[in-house]
Amino acid sequence: MAGGTRLENANPLIFQRSGERLHTANDEDEDVLDPIDDREIFDILHVQSINDPEHPLSLEELNVVEQMRVRVNDQQNTVGVEFTPTIPHCSMATLIGLSIKVKLLRSLPERFKIDVRITPGTHASEDAVNKQLADKERVAAALENSQLLEVVNQCLTSNARTV
Amino acid sequence: MTVFLIISFCFTARTFHACSLPFELKLFMMAADSAILVGLVEEFVSGQQDSKAADTATGLKKGQFTILQLVEALGLHLTSSQPQTRARGVQLLSSVLQTCHGDLTEGEVVVLLAFYENRLKDHYVITPHVLQGLKALTKCSVLPPGSAVSILKSLFQDVHVQSLMLAERSCVYNILIQLMESKESELKGLGADFVFGFVQSVDGERDPRNLLLAFQIARKIIRGGYDLGKFTEELFEVTSCYFPIDFSPPPNDPHGITQEELILALRAVLTGTPCFAEFLLPLIIEKLDSDIQSAKLDSLQTLSACASVYEHKELAEFLPGLWASLRREVFQTASEKVESAGLAALTALTACLSRSVLSSDSEDSLNVFLDLVLKDCKHHLCEPDLKLVWPSAKLLQACSSASYRASHKVTAAVMPSLIEQYNSRTQCAQRRTLLEVLQGFVQSVRSSQEDDSVLLDFSQSLCSIVFSALSESNAGLQITSMHVLTALGQQTGLLVESDVKLAVDHLTRIVLEEEDVTVSTAVVESAGTLARLHPAAFISNMVPQLKGSIFSESLAQADGAAASQEHSQQALHQRCVTALAAVSSHPSVVQETTPVLIQVLTSAHTGTGSFSLEEVIAVCLSLQRIAGQAEDTEENGQVFHDIIIPRLLGLALQAALNGECSSEHRSPFVEETVLSAMVPVISTTCSRLQSQLAGRTALRSVSLFLDGDVSFLPENAFPSQIQLLKKQASDSWKQSQMVCLLMGCVCSLPRGVEIPQVDRLLLELEELSCTCDHPLSYTSAAKCYAGLVNKWHVEALESLIDRMLKRISSELASASSSVRTQAFTLLLWVAKALLIRYHPLSTTLTDKLFSLLSDPELGSLAADGFSLLMSDSTDILNRGCHADVRIMYRQRFFTENSSKLVQGFNTAPQERKSCYLKALSHILTNLPRQVQITELPALLPLLLEALSCPDQGVQQSTLSCLQPVLLDPPSALITQLEALVGRMLSLITSPSMKVRIASLRCIHALARFPEHEIMPFRARVLRALATPLDDRKRMVRSEAVLARNEWFLLGSPGGR
């Protein structure tokens, strides 16, 4: 951050973090089955924060992912996430998308089909990015590139409070 | 030169010393000892034996020879042409001086000082030893006047401090510190030269240890009133160049210096004097631009600190710059720490400006500054989108909280527009935001004793806002308005009587009508605070209304209401009862509310009002709350001791006696849950500090239980022959279980209160606990016994315990006995009572418990007993009950007994081993984390065994013990990694979710082990962790997600 390079979006709007999910009595009850729901996916992406590559802030604080843009169908094994880059020409959009996708791949059971795309109308090269993120082979290839993997991992390195 | 000095030294020293001993005697001794001395000197200087210095010093201490003789013996070495030899000679003299400086005479000191000062000019190899010698000499109590100045002059003149080694530099600083302590006035006479000398010697210091010393000296210079002269800027430069301090101590730091320590030491220097203001303030403004958060934080804290020393004239010039920086930090902050430090600094600045005395010609700098702040912030409060309303409000509130004048100005400027805003907005969210902002302002204003509250002008409009918000249906708005109301109520003289009355009406309405949990919590809290300040309004308005609703609607409900209605009815009662409890802190309120609660209990007992069991328990809970929170005055004590406790005992007794004859209505007061809820009411009352009243209650209840004396109970209609503690017919449990109420009373009395007939009481309790077969009765009797034994300090105690122990042992020994559980219960509680007070007999009792672990019938009970033994019990034997609890009894028990446990485990038959593991895990869970971590490695084999124990409780507690240890793994663990990983992975499919969660946490912690140790397990762990990602419980899944992501990062580029 302190280096000489200019940030693309030096002064982003910061949003209040929503509080942690409250535990209910059902959460403690052994016999109740908790389905995987929108909030849980949202928490995977936030409570164990993914950091924005540009800012030392989590994606939630930058409002990149909102809970209303997360859709889960536990029966049909699908997860859809739409994310909103901080500015329409953000060059980091692909990387943010990739990080979200990797985080979900690592955190969800294999049965789910994961679909990550940009919120319609919020990015200049929306289609290109969406296409890249949907292409299994390109994602796999990207993760074999150790430099790219390094950047993704840095976004996913959780801060100290998780332990 | 050197030769001359030595000789002159010998002469002077001799003339001083000669008179101290008869001449012949001295000659004789000298002859004997001088040979030894010469030998010592020779061995030290030529033989390079360092230990001889200590020998010489001891010789000198014992009086075998004098310092003069030592110098004479050293003579040749001190004048040698070899610098190494001279150095060695001075070293011996210096190290002797370090131990013997207390014995020197003034004359000797003068000569030695002259010598040492002169030696500073000598070869550089000698300098370190000279400094050591000087340091020793400055500690002399007989340091002659003028010597401090001459030492410093030669020190500053002849030594270039920063080219010395670390230890010598520290030596110089220590000399300065020593002299500043003993010769302050002389040093001040040196004037600015002293400051200059110090500045020169410190300039360029790098070692943190020396810096701490240097900061200490600088602080003394500043605070001690030394003349800084023209060197103010130099002194500032030489210290401020370290600001802001960035220091990370080396790993396994041996000196224990922290960044925090350095920061505080430097801050004390920089903020020590207003003279530094013109240099420090620009520096702070500059450092606030830094990107490093710690630098910002340090700058802000330093600013707060100096504002408490400065006056407005120092600040005036820099106010615009400081304000611009502070505003930026709060408006654009990424960190709460920086924000709160910024606000604190703003408060400190404003307070400083408010403090200053104005002269007639200068303008009021507080006004000027606040105008600046208002100009930048006020308009944000009125923006339509309320975007920057929070940071602006926080800044203004920070100013307002600084002083009465500041509050006055800020509120006068802000309040009207905020109030107007609120009234013109229609959206709930915006209104709520504005109300929260208002709340902040109301809480921030400072009150002054002479003047009226600054909010007085606005109180009417604020009240009308609050009351209108209270009538809204939006929960958030209601809650915030109650917070504002509470804040307004706490300002003295702001609410007039009619306002308070209206407020109480509103609160009462909310209690009665609102079902939202968050709202009712807030209203209870608000009512509780306001009732403390305005008791009369609550007595006249709220209490009667709540009482009315508790009793009136219960009639309507009698004619077959639906289940849902009954439910809401219960919730209403619950809210009323809680609110009654919350407002009861002032004695006058307590006298009104407790009769209502007692009336509820009475009607529940007679069956006239149909109150459920839960409601009765809730009432007891509220009574307990009142007993705990009400002011500890005699008035309140009387209400409880003279009315409530007799009522409760009377109700319980009536229920116990009636239960045997009538059958159509069963009083709730025979239920175990209700009795258990009554115990804390009694024990909280008795544990308060009204000893006299408590003593009376103790006397009454003991005579009730021992002699059947019912004279103090209300509605005296009891049979004369009551024997509550005697075992009678089979149905007598209703009476015998009342012993728990006795326990509540006698076990929680303050230590000084005498318990009447205690010997007889103990006998009867022992009898009851060993013979009765009703669980509540015998357990309560055992607990009561234990509670008494814990506080009893007489010699008869041992014989009493011995007798009880014999009885228990014989019961436990006979396998056919029907009261083994009872005997065990008594044993357990008495063991706890004695253990926590370190009584020597406790070992006998706990050993007995250990031996029971292998008992086929009681083994598992005994294992669980250790949990009770090690944890704090809620009702008795805790500090709240004035029990005798020694610190660290758990650690002590653990260290004394862990080996017994391990031994018992090893010798026990296979099927009994699990009891030992369970006991161990109970003991470990209750130990403080610090002790766990140091003790666990020794118990590791046992713990690994425990992981494969089928008992889920054991598994879970073992895992939760292991987890903190895994965060900082001992090497013993690393060698066991294979076994550890295998066992933990098998536990993540356990049927118990707690075990699954605990094992996932441990696996997460394992990811922090050294990478090369755990890499071999990575693939296996990742595969195994895929299963819990699809667990049926969400809490398990989220732990699995955390752990799996951490393991993925392992060994991956950019990971760890």
Side-chain angles (χ1 to χ4, degrees):
Chain A
M1 269 275 278
T5 52
R6 293 288 303 160
L7 301 178
E8 276 190 19
N9 183 5
N11 193 10
L13 273 179
I14 300 165
F15 291 80
Q16 186 99 41
R17 298 185 60 134
S18 57
E20 298 213 356
R21 185 183 194 133
L22 294 172
H23 284 303
T24 60
N26 278 348
D27 286 339
E28 309 275 353
D29 189 347
E30 297 262 8
D31 302 325
V32 178
L33 191 147
D34 311 330
I36 296 183
D37 59 14
D38 298 355
R39 173 71 203 240
E40 187 170 346
I41 304 293
F42 180 72
D43 282 346
I44 288 177
L45 295 173
H46 291 122
V47 173
Q48 303 122 28
S49 51
I50 301 180
N51 296 318
D52 185 293
E54 255 195 5
H55 303 282
L57 297 166
S58 76
L59 294 188
E60 181 185 12
E61 285 162 323
L62 295 168
N63 221 24
V64 171
V65 179
E66 295 161 281
Q67 194 181 337
M68 52 178 273
R69 304 210 178 277
V70 177
R71 274 167 285 96
V72 179
N73 191 328
D74 201 10
Q75 270 80 49
Q76 293 171 14
N77 299 335
T78 56
V79 171
V81 174
E82 284 178 351
F83 68 99
T84 318
T86 47
I87 40 174
H89 48 273
C90 180
S91 64
M92 301 284 179
T94 327
L95 186 59
I96 295 177
L98 191 62
S99 299
I100 293 175
K101 183 132 191 172
V102 170
K103 179 87 184 184
L104 291 177
L105 281 172
R106 289 176 182 178
S107 311
L108 288 177
E110 280 175 34
R111 61 187 167 91
F112 281 100
K113 180 184 183 311
I114 297 162
D115 181 29
V116 176
R117 39 181 49 251
I118 291 181
T119 315
T122 60
H123 196 266
S125 42
E126 188 183 317
D127 290 339
V129 176
N130 283 345
K131 205 170 166 193
Q132 271 187 21
L133 289 173
D135 190 335
K136 259 187 192 171
E137 282 178 15
R138 286 178 76 174
V139 170
L143 294 181
E144 273 170 28
N145 176 340
S146 71
Q147 271 176 333
L148 204 51
L149 183 61
E150 186 174 342
V151 184
V152 169
N153 274 337
Q154 272 162 1
C155 293
L156 297 182
T157 301
S158 50
N159 28 21
R161 70 196 171 84
T162 48
V163 176
Chain B
M1 179 67 177
T2 319
V3 181
F4 162 74
L5 242 171
I6 295 293
I7 292 169
S8 86
F9 173 80
C10 294
F11 270 115
T12 356
R14 182 168 291 161
T15 41
F16 270 101
H17 219 87
C19 48
S20 59
L21 277 175
F23 190 59
E24 299 90 74
L25 183 60
K26 197 178 154 201
L27 258 187
F28 171 73
M29 279 173 58
M30 274 172 72
D33 294 327
S34 64
I36 308 175
L37 180 60
V38 171
L40 285 172
V41 168
E42 201 56 39
E43 280 172 52
F44 184 88
V45 178
S46 317
Q48 301 286 328
Q49 296 184 29
D50 287 343
S51 63
K52 295 300 167 195
D55 295 347
T56 319
T58 355
L60 203 76
K61 273 264 181 213
K62 280 186 191 154
Q64 281 176 323
F65 34 80
T66 62
I67 191 85
L68 166 65
Q69 286 164 329
L70 174 62
V71 174
E72 278 173 344
L74 273 169
L76 275 177
H77 303 297
L78 294 181
T79 53
S80 158
S81 59
Q82 292 295 316
Q84 307 297 345
T85 317
R86 290 206 303 279
R88 202 67 191 159
V90 176
Q91 188 183 355
L92 178 59
L93 188 58
S94 295
S95 46
V96 170
L97 283 177
Q98 268 165 23
T99 39
C100 305
H101 59 81
D103 307 333
L104 299 176
T105 64
E106 189 174 334
E108 287 166 338
V109 173
V110 171
V111 179
L112 283 169
L113 274 178
F115 169 66
Y116 271 110
E117 280 170 25
N118 184 272
R119 284 308 80 202
L120 282 173
K121 299 188 194 344
D122 203 344
H123 196 271
Y124 70 89
V125 293
I126 303 173
T127 315
H129 310 304
V130 176
L131 288 171
Q132 289 295 342
L134 273 176
K135 184 173 122 188
L137 285 172
T138 54
K139 287 185 191 147
C140 282
S141 51
V142 291
L143 208 58
S147 54
V149 171
S150 80
I151 293 175
L152 286 181
K153 275 196 170 149
S154 26
L155 201 60
F156 291 149
Q157 194 176 349
D158 298 325
V159 183
H160 181 241
V161 178
Q162 288 309 317
S163 53
L164 297 173
M165 302 293 283
L166 188 142
E168 281 82 58
R169 297 201 304 270
S170 133
C171 198
V172 172
Y173 300 135
N174 276 315
I175 292 176
L176 289 179
I177 291 176
Q178 183 64 39
L179 289 176
M180 287 175 92
E181 246 156 48
S182 56
K183 299 282 171 191
E184 194 182 318
S185 56
E186 274 185 47
L187 297 196
K188 282 184 183 162
L190 258 177
D193 287 352
F194 175 62
V195 179
F196 180 64
F198 169 69
V199 167
Q200 272 201 318
S201 16
V202 180
D203 196 359
E205 180 61 62
R206 291 169 314 277
D207 188 81
R209 283 161 285 175
N210 284 343
L211 276 177
L212 278 180
L213 294 174
F215 291 157
Q216 192 189 338
I217 299 171
R219 184 163 158 251
K220 278 188 175 185
I221 291 181
I222 291 167
R223 293 276 168 92
Y226 287 79
D227 177 20
L228 297 183
K230 51 183 190 267
F231 300 113
T232 313
E233 185 166 5
E234 275 76 7
L235 183 60
F236 177 77
E237 284 298 326
V238 86
T239 44
S240 68
C241 61
Y242 301 101
F243 181 82
I245 283 182
D246 180 21
F247 168 64
S248 37
N252 53 47
D253 175 31
H255 313 297
I257 294 180
T258 59
Q259 168 153 354
E260 195 57 29
E261 233 175 313
L262 284 165
I263 287 179
L264 291 179
L266 178 59
R267 189 174 299 156
V269 174
L270 295 181
T271 63
T273 168
C275 304
F276 283 167
E278 53 175 321
F279 317 113
L280 179 61
L281 293 173
L283 182 70
I284 287 179
I285 295 176
E286 180 195 322
K287 296 295 176 192
L288 275 174
D289 285 336
S290 159
D291 278 335
I292 305 159
Q293 194 190 331
S294 66
K296 279 187 182 180
L297 210 56
D298 192 3
S299 308
L300 289 169
Q301 284 163 350
T302 307
L303 181 59
S304 305
C306 64
S308 64
V309 186
Y310 292 175
E311 289 191 23
H312 73 103
K313 61 177 187 295
E314 281 93 19
L315 288 172
E317 187 188 338
F318 303 100
L319 283 175
L322 286 171
W323 163 243
S325 303
L326 287 174
R327 187 189 52 196
R328 188 193 55 215
E329 287 318 312
V330 175
F331 272 4
Q332 306 177 6
T333 187
S335 133
E336 275 173 39
K337 265 193 199 159
V338 173
E339 187 193 70
S340 57
L343 293 173
L346 183 59
T347 307
L349 276 184
T350 319
C352 170
L353 295 175
S354 323
R355 227 181 14 244
S356 319
V357 182
L358 294 179
S359 60
S360 55
D361 52 339
S362 70
E363 51 184 351
D364 181 357
S365 48
L366 176 67
N367 252 332
V368 176
F369 183 63
L370 288 179
D371 282 337
L372 199 62
V373 176
L374 284 168
K375 192 184 100 220
D376 284 344
C377 291
K378 196 183 156 192
H379 65 95
H380 288 303
L381 298 181
C382 318
E383 300 279 341
D385 55 350
L386 296 175
K387 197 172 164 195
L388 283 170
V389 67
W390 271 118
S392 315
K394 280 181 186 165
L395 285 166
L396 287 168
Q397 284 155 10
C399 289
S400 155
S401 67
S403 70
Y404 179 73
R405 272 172 65 211
S407 308
H408 195 82
K409 184 164 170 78
V410 172
T411 40
V414 168
M415 278 292 173
S417 74
L418 277 177
I419 290 171
E420 190 200 316
Q421 284 265 320
Y422 180 88
N423 290 329
S424 62
R425 302 257 175 176
T426 47
Q427 280 184 36
C428 272
Q430 289 179 334
R431 286 187 145 198
R432 185 178 176 188
T433 309
L434 284 166
L435 206 53
E436 278 171 351
V437 171
L438 278 172
Q439 182 198 348
F441 278 107
V442 173
Q443 280 168 340
S444 75
V445 298
R446 278 300 190 93
S447 54
S448 111
Q449 285 177 344
E450 308 91 72
D451 303 295
D452 289 330
S453 169
V454 295
L455 293 169
L456 201 60
D457 294 344
F458 311 107
S459 67
Q460 276 320 306
S461 24
L462 282 174
C463 280
S464 63
I465 287 183
V466 166
F467 294 144
S468 83
L470 281 174
S471 351
E472 298 270 349
S473 58
N474 181 295
L477 211 51
Q478 280 182 323
I479 293 171
T480 319
S481 59
M482 282 186 265
H483 290 160
V484 181
L485 181 62
T486 317
L488 286 173
Q490 281 168 327
Q491 298 268 329
T492 40
L494 205 58
L495 296 185
V496 292
E497 208 177 314
S498 60
D499 292 334
V500 176
K501 218 168 149 266
L502 203 54
V504 174
D505 281 341
H506 273 289
L507 293 179
T508 312
R509 183 184 52 78
I510 293 175
V511 171
L512 294 177
E513 289 172 10
E514 279 302 326
E515 297 195 340
D516 186 332
V517 183
T518 50
V519 178
S520 43
T521 325
V523 72
V524 163
E525 197 181 315
S526 170
T529 322
L530 288 175
R532 238 174 262 271
L533 306 160
H534 309 280
F538 282 85
I539 293 173
S540 60
N541 288 22
M542 188 183 256
V543 177
Q545 286 198 51
L546 295 184
K547 182 183 174 185
S549 94
I550 290 178
F551 290 106
S552 72
E553 292 178 44
S554 55
L555 299 173
Q557 181 234 4
D559 40 65
S564 69
Q565 208 176 340
E566 193 174 340
H567 183 74
S568 70
Q569 181 77 25
Q570 279 200 9
L572 172 66
H573 284 176
Q574 173 72 44
R575 288 201 304 275
C576 292
V577 168
T578 321
L580 282 178
V583 297
S584 310
S585 49
H586 197 273
S588 59
V589 187
V590 172
Q591 277 171 352
E592 297 297 321
T593 53
T594 47
V596 181
L597 296 176
I598 289 290
Q599 201 184 333
V600 174
L601 294 182
T602 317
S603 75
H605 169 65
T606 52
T608 47
S610 51
F611 293 98
S612 70
L613 213 55
E614 290 78 38
E615 286 170 286
V616 174
I617 293 172
V619 170
C620 291
L621 217 64
S622 297
L623 280 173
Q624 182 205 350
R625 207 179 139 198
I626 299 174
Q629 86 189 359
E631 295 158 24
D632 200 354
T633 59
E634 190 159 0
E635 254 178 309
N636 279 338
Q638 271 170 353
V639 172
F640 274 88
H641 284 286
D642 293 343
I643 301 172
I644 296 177
I645 293 186
R647 285 307 295 225
L648 292 179
L649 286 172
L651 286 171
L653 188 57
Q654 274 177 0
L657 296 172
N658 289 348
E660 281 163 18
C661 42
S662 76
S663 57
E664 90 255 31
H665 169 71
R666 188 177 152 118
S667 164
F669 292 91
V670 295
E671 300 296 334
E672 183 172 335
T673 45
V674 175
L675 282 176
S676 311
M678 283 164 77
V679 174
V681 182
I682 298 179
S683 67
T684 315
T685 309
C686 288
S687 67
R688 305 211 76 181
L689 298 173
Q690 303 293 332
S691 308
Q692 218 186 341
L693 294 170
R696 199 163 71 209
T697 302
L699 179 69
R700 286 165 171 179
S701 51
V702 169
S703 62
L704 168 68
F705 279 86
L706 285 181
D707 308 321
D709 176 5
V710 292
S711 56
F712 75 99
L713 297 179
E715 298 170 33
N716 201 340
F718 301 101
S720 56
Q721 284 301 309
I722 304 175
Q723 287 188 309
L724 291 171
L725 293 180
K726 290 276 186 283
K727 186 177 153 66
Q728 299 156 337
S730 61
D731 197 27
S732 70
W733 58 267
K734 283 180 185 161
Q735 287 178 40
S736 64
Q737 67 177 358
M738 276 182 68
V739 72
C740 68
L741 301 178
L742 177 68
M743 171 193 87
C745 175
V746 296
C747 291
S748 50
L749 296 170
R751 215 87 61 88
V753 176
E754 192 83 21
I755 296 164
Q757 308 189 61
V758 67
D759 304 82
R760 203 178 130 210
L761 186 59
L762 283 168
L763 273 181
E764 300 235 349
L765 286 170
E766 182 192 320
E767 184 65 29
L768 180 63
S769 70
C770 287
T771 52
C772 186
D773 51 5
H774 179 241
L776 179 63
S777 305
Y778 69 73
T779 315
S780 302
K783 283 160 87 172
C784 191
Y785 187 94
L788 290 172
V789 161
N790 173 263
K791 284 189 212 171
W792 210 26
H793 283 268
V794 285
E795 289 179 17
L797 184 62
E798 298 205 0
S799 61
L800 185 91
I801 303 275
D802 274 339
R803 206 194 39 186
M804 180 216 73
L805 198 56
K806 279 207 190 82
R807 180 169 184 175
I808 292 180
S809 305
S810 70
E811 296 289 359
L812 288 173
S814 73
S816 59
S817 167
S818 61
V819 289
R820 290 191 84 210
T821 324
Q822 282 87 325
F824 165 76
T825 311
L826 183 59
L827 171 69
L828 180 63
W829 280 100
V830 177
K832 181 170 171 76
L834 296 181
L835 175 71
I836 59 175
R837 67 176 264 198
Y838 283 1
H839 194 278
L841 273 177
S842 67
T843 325
T844 327
L845 295 168
T846 49
D847 283 352
K848 191 98 199 144
L849 285 176
F850 278 117
S851 70
L852 282 177
L853 283 175
S854 52
D855 186 287
E857 190 188 344
L858 293 173
S860 146
L861 263 184
D864 285 332
F866 280 92
S867 154
L868 192 145
L869 211 54
M870 299 301 282
S871 56
D872 287 324
S873 64
T874 48
D875 44 1
I876 58 160
L877 296 179
N878 53 39
R879 291 208 166 82
C881 294
H882 308 283
D884 187 356
V885 185
R886 303 296 173 88
I887 50 164
M888 304 211 283
Y889 73 90
R890 298 187 178 88
Q891 285 92 315
R892 198 173 120 136
F893 178 74
F894 177 76
T895 37
E896 279 173 7
N897 293 298
S898 62
S899 60
K900 286 180 200 161
L901 207 56
V902 175
Q903 205 181 2
F905 172 81
N906 290 333
T907 52
Q910 194 58 43
E911 70 276 11
R912 304 249 52 90
K913 279 189 194 293
S914 70
C915 286
Y916 285 90
L917 292 175
K918 205 162 158 190
L920 176 69
S921 71
H922 282 314
I923 297 175
L924 281 178
T925 323
N926 286 299
L927 279 182
R929 288 279 182 235
Q930 219 46 45
V931 185
Q932 278 189 358
I933 289 171
T934 50
E935 296 292 340
L936 275 193
L939 296 170
L940 208 56
L942 226 62
L943 288 175
L944 287 178
E945 193 82 27
L947 284 182
S948 7
C949 170
D951 184 304
Q952 288 174 0
V954 175
Q955 289 172 356
Q956 198 217 328
S957 63
T958 313
L959 286 168
S960 59
C961 287
L962 272 173
Q963 198 239 352
V965 184
L966 296 177
L967 295 177
D968 185 16
S971 54
L973 259 180
I974 290 176
T975 54
Q976 305 266 16
L977 211 52
E978 176 70 45
L980 205 58
V981 174
R983 301 236 158 103
M984 287 186 178
L985 288 183
S986 70
L987 287 179
I988 58 178
T989 50
S990 156
S992 150
M993 73 184 264
K994 284 193 176 138
V995 174
R996 296 202 296 274
I997 290 174
S999 61
L1000 285 168
R1001 284 195 180 140
C1002 285
I1003 291 168
H1004 187 178
L1006 281 178
R1008 302 267 159 164
F1009 274 42
E1011 190 177 321
H1012 62 277
E1013 300 283 357
I1014 46 169
M1015 268 313 274
F1017 301 102
R1018 184 175 185 260
R1020 186 174 150 200
V1021 171
L1022 287 178
R1023 221 176 311 123
L1025 286 180
T1027 326
L1029 287 182
D1030 212 0
D1031 198 276
R1032 51 192 274 113
K1033 296 308 294 176
R1034 186 174 297 121
M1035 282 156 84
V1036 179
R1037 291 198 295 265
S1038 66
E1039 291 295 338
V1041 167
L1042 282 176
R1044 194 158 191 258
N1045 275 290
E1046 200 67 28
W1047 274 85
F1048 254 113
L1049 292 177
L1050 201 77
S1052 175
R1056 197 165 64 81

